[in-house]
Amino acid sequence: MCRLCTAKSPRWVSRRAFMLAAGAVVAGPAVSQVDVGGSSPLRSLVPATEIEQVAAKEYGELLQKARAKGALANEGNAQLRRLRSISSRLIADAPRWNPRARQWRWEVNLIGSDSVNAFCMPGGKIAVFTGLIEKLRATDDELAMVVGHEIAHALREHARERIAKSQGTGALLSLGAQLFGLGQLGDVAADIGTQLLTLKFSRDDEIEADLVGLEMGARAGFDPQASISLWDKMARVSGAGGGPAFLSTHPSGPDRMRRLAENIPRVQGLYRQAMGNR
């Protein structure tokens, strides 16, 4: 996910857990209908497997805290079943954008909170807050656009690039040596968490996540027009006072909606094909 603001998130959710949701692994060029860039060579300086290990630990702690608060949806929860059904269709196409996604141990969970938020951690660790579903009255198509956007950030390794650029090559080479066994993993994990605390994705990262998420949704049989209605609802919720946490790092506005609208025709054929195969 993008760097998520925790001001409106449950107090028991650590900032580092949210920041790790921005992480990703080795991404390669995909055969797509939208224009996405290639993978930055800087990303290779931050080992993907170690970031995934840190993220898995943080995700597990997050779920443990949610469970202790009675906020973690159980397996029989209807909204969780709905979320997992939507996510599974998106996940099926994830290797198109990142071959490593085949190895990820995907998890999808629903957390009870008024926060309008969602994220995907490295290794396919997805969580959605009930506030996003309920306050937006999100349809399946709209929810797919949110989850697809967050998955796209992970698949396109935006966090690894941000970390690489922020630390500098020399520091990253040292970090890489530590991660490969020449230092203490716990210390390095804390360092990664610190980096992610100040992580903010670029405008290009946001654009790419929008477009990749749009195509993923279309290929999975979700109406791409929902990308427009989703951001319209986000703007309405924001105008109602305070604004959702999601918008703190997912700026809305005419440019975003215009760009999505321009790209919808490029993926309509994929959507129709997916609907025809269902």
Side-chain angles (χ1 to χ4, degrees), residues 193-229:
T194 300
Q195 290 295 315
L196 291 173
L197 283 174
T198 58
L199 187 66
K200 185 175 182 180
F201 289 139
S202 70
R203 176 176 176 272
D204 288 343
D205 290 341
E206 285 298 321
I207 291 172
E208 186 175 49
D210 275 349
L211 299 185
V212 171
L214 179 71
E215 180 165 335
M216 289 182 70
R219 289 181 181 275
F222 294 105
D223 188 353
Q225 292 288 345
S227 63
I228 304 299
S229 59

Side-chain angles (χ1 to χ4, degrees), residues 39-239:
S39 176
S40 167
L42 287 174
R43 299 170 189 173
S44 63
L45 298 176
V46 183
T49 54
E50 302 299 346
I51 292 180
E52 290 171 15
Q53 289 178 20
V54 176
K57 180 178 181 295
E58 291 292 334
Y59 188 73
E61 291 177 357
L62 169 64
L63 297 186
Q64 186 177 19
K65 291 177 182 178
R67 189 177 292 109
K69 296 288 185 179
L72 185 65
N74 59 41
E75 296 296 319
N77 183 284
Q79 288 282 46
L80 175 60
R81 292 199 303 269
R82 175 191 176 208
L83 175 62
R84 286 181 173 174
S85 175
I86 292 169
S87 299
S88 66
R89 289 163 58 183
L90 296 168
I91 291 168
D93 195 49
R96 174 187 303 276
W97 304 96
N98 188 330
R100 279 186 56 80
R102 294 188 180 90
Q103 304 169 25
W104 288 0
R105 296 183 177 180
W106 293 87
E107 293 185 55
V108 181
N109 283 285
L110 180 66
I111 297 174
S113 167
D114 287 338
S115 180
V116 179
N117 233 329
F119 61 79
C120 178
M121 285 185 172
K125 309 302 185 185
I126 299 169
V128 174
F129 291 169
T130 54
L132 186 145
I133 299 174
E134 295 169 359
K135 289 187 178 182
L136 298 185
R137 297 184 180 179
T139 65
D140 286 2
D141 295 310
E142 291 165 347
L143 188 52
M145 295 300 152
V146 174
V147 176
H149 178 100
E150 295 308 315
I151 290 176
H153 272 306
L155 294 175
R156 299 302 294 168
E157 346 175 73
H158 293 156
R160 288 179 71 196
E161 184 173 4
R162 294 298 100 192
I163 293 171
K165 288 182 177 179
S166 67
Q167 283 200 328
T169 304
L172 280 166
L173 289 174
S174 174
L175 173 63
Q178 288 179 309
L179 286 169
F180 282 121
L182 301 180
Q184 296 297 317
L185 179 59
D187 293 340
V188 175
D191 183 58
I192 293 174
T194 300
Q195 290 295 315
L196 291 173
L197 283 174
T198 58
L199 187 66
K200 185 175 182 180
F201 289 139
S202 70
R203 176 176 176 272
D204 288 343
D205 290 341
E206 285 298 321
I207 291 172
E208 186 175 49
D210 275 349
L211 299 185
V212 171
L214 179 71
E215 180 165 335
M216 289 182 70
R219 289 181 181 275
F222 294 105
D223 188 353
Q225 292 288 345
S227 63
I228 304 299
S229 59
L230 166 69
W231 288 105
D232 182 61
K233 287 183 177 181
M234 284 285 189
R236 290 170 186 259
V237 171
S238 178

